[in-house]
Amino acid sequence: MSISIVLVLWVMVTIICGYFDELEFWDSCYFGKPLIKNTQLIIPSRNIGLYEGHPLNNTGQFMILQSGKLIFSGIQRSQRIIGEYLGEPKSGRGFKPSYTIADGPFPKIDEPITKILVLQYLLC
């Protein structure tokens, strides 16, 4: 695990590597349009749930990360299957038909890197 804190102008950025199992993407999160930079896939996000074991969560209970970015490095291919709710998640109306998005193209690399970062932005 590596944590870096960098102060840039009036924004603090915390970088967390790993801990993907400590994230919750179920009914509260939203994802923006992904950005591809070389072999990185950067996905803006809002309202991702953080379980107690995640380094960004020091509350001792489940919490919501208001905004941040999911950054996947060393990507050779990316395919996301999207399932959206019909209306509000708690309405019980079910899901729209799922669809697949293939991201890319990505440059070829010798070996994939399994590195996942979650960035948190806090106004100082």
Side-chain angles (χ1 to χ4, degrees), residues 76-114:
Q76 294 181 355
R77 186 175 76 109
S78 171
Q79 184 172 314
R80 295 174 285 136
I81 300 172
I82 309 297
E84 298 178 89
Y85 283 101
L86 285 170
E88 290 296 315
K90 295 180 181 175
S91 71
R93 294 177 50 205
F95 294 91
K96 299 176 186 177
S98 63
Y99 57 95
T100 301
I101 297 174
D103 299 305
F106 296 95
K108 298 288 183 206
I109 57 175
D110 293 334
E111 189 175 311
I113 302 166
T114 57

Side-chain angles (χ1 to χ4, degrees), residues 15-113:
I15 300 173
I16 305 295
C17 296
Y19 292 92
F20 203 71
D21 289 340
E22 305 300 328
L23 301 175
E24 174 64 55
F25 300 108
W26 191 240
D27 66 354
S28 64
C29 66
Y30 298 92
F31 300 107
K33 182 178 178 181
L35 173 66
I36 296 171
K37 287 186 176 180
N38 295 316
T39 63
Q40 280 191 334
L41 178 63
I42 303 166
I43 304 174
S45 60
R46 292 184 295 134
N47 299 337
I48 290 179
L50 301 177
Y51 288 108
E52 296 86 357
H54 197 282
L56 290 176
N57 183 350
N58 59 6
T59 67
Q61 58 189 359
F62 182 80
M63 67 171 279
I64 300 292
L65 180 65
Q66 297 298 316
S67 67
K69 295 180 182 181
L70 297 172
I71 301 177
F72 300 88
S73 295
I75 303 297
Q76 294 181 355
R77 186 175 76 109
S78 171
Q79 184 172 314
R80 295 174 285 136
I81 300 172
I82 309 297
E84 298 178 89
Y85 283 101
L86 285 170
E88 290 296 315
K90 295 180 181 175
S91 71
R93 294 177 50 205
F95 294 91
K96 299 176 186 177
S98 63
Y99 57 95
T100 301
I101 297 174
D103 299 305
F106 296 95
K108 298 288 183 206
I109 57 175
D110 293 334
E111 189 175 311
I113 302 166

Side-chain angles (χ1 to χ4, degrees), residues 1-6 12-19 54-56 69 71 115-121:
M1 172 183 81
S2 76
I3 299 174
S4 301
I5 299 176
V6 179
M12 182 178 72
V13 178
T14 303
I15 300 173
I16 305 295
C17 296
Y19 292 92
H54 197 282
L56 290 176
K69 295 180 182 181
I71 301 177
K115 186 178 189 182
I116 301 167
L117 304 175
V118 178
L119 286 116
Q120 177 184 26
Y121 295 88

